[in-house]
Amino acid sequence: MKILVAVKRVVDYNVKVRVKSDGSDVDIANVKMSMNPFDEIAVEEAVRLKEAGKATEIVAVSLGVKQCEETLRTALAMGADRAIHVETDAVLQPLAVAKLLKALVDKEQAQLIILGKQAIDDDANQTGQMLAALMNAPQGTFASKVEIAGEKVSVTREIDGGLETVSLSLPAVITTDLRLNEPRYVKLPNIMAAKKKPLDKISPADLGVDPAPRLKVLKVSEPITRSAGIKVSSVAELVAKLKNEAKVI
Ligand code: AMP
């Protein structure tokens, strides 16, 4: 079974992002970038499946600017066998990413596609679902447990009311939730070895996809700052404040 894992280069989760002064976007100049945390979980899961003898090959895929190569090298150091970089300077929205991934799935004949449940930059939570729709394949989103059983994959999903287990026939799409696993720490020898693993480049045009954005960002702004809270000494005081000051009751 060949696994395709999608890894996105995003602003590191420790960075407090700022909005550009013209309100057109978030400022990512000179900001630390890393692999999307949910995608690290996706790579880890693929590597564990391979280590358990359930997968034969792991192909890591990243779409975007030249520096996505670094993200792919991290995936290779974690245990992916080879990488594909769909290189473009275009702004990529989830539908374009899903179309490009669909073209790669067809090309690679991958059986299992693992993505993060969401990218922490756009927080869209759309790509996996769109990819499954384009492939007309089953999807197990927000996975907290994945088990391969013959031609099927069983996925336990984190949903509002608790856990749900679905059985998917392959090819299938999985998106990872936080509790699926804890990604391994990448050791130096693995980083060195990853430099020798194959990394192929391809363009959206090679895949026959027009990645032009379909959505227009009108404005990006900081969230409204909240004023500090206060402590009240009694329920009576709380009720009085809600009535007379906040005027909500
Ligand atoms: P989103 O729908 O944007 O929240 O992203 C969900 C998941 O889709 C991410 O966690 C990645 O696995 C994948 N993905 C989105 N954009 C890209 C990209 N440019 N390159 C690789 N994977 C991506």
Side-chain angles (χ1 to χ4, degrees), residues 5-10 36-40 42 61-65 68 71-72 84 86 88 92-95 97-98 100-101 114-130 174-176:
V5 190
V7 294
K8 186 174 187 187
R9 177 177 182 266
V10 296
N36 184 43
F38 292 106
D39 303 352
E40 283 184 11
V61 182
S62 193
L63 298 75
V65 294
C68 291
T71 316
L72 286 170
I84 303 176
V86 182
T88 173
L92 292 175
Q93 292 176 347
L95 184 58
V97 175
L100 290 162
L101 289 176
I114 314 183
L115 304 89
K117 75 166 179 183
Q118 75 195 69
I120 61 164
D121 51 1
D122 62 14
D123 271 342
N125 177 8
Q126 294 173 356
T127 310
Q129 295 87 332
M130 287 176 169
I174 293 175
T175 73
T176 60

Side-chain angles (χ1 to χ4, degrees), residues 147-206:
E147 280 172 318
I148 308 284
E151 289 297 292
K152 301 240 176 209
V153 50
S154 158
V155 177
T156 303
R157 314 180 51 227
E158 299 201 351
I159 56 170
D160 281 350
L163 297 175
E164 177 190 55
T165 303
V166 291
S167 174
L168 317 174
S169 48
L170 298 171
V173 176
I174 293 175
T175 73
T176 60
D177 214 325
L178 212 54
R179 277 160 290 273
L180 180 58
N181 61 49
E182 212 169 290
R184 67 196 58 197
Y185 182 73
V186 182
K187 300 196 191 96
L188 189 60
N190 297 337
I191 296 172
M192 300 312 284
K195 291 187 180 166
K196 297 202 187 93
K197 290 187 181 178
L199 191 160
D200 294 327
K201 297 251 178 195
I202 193 166
S203 75
D206 294 335

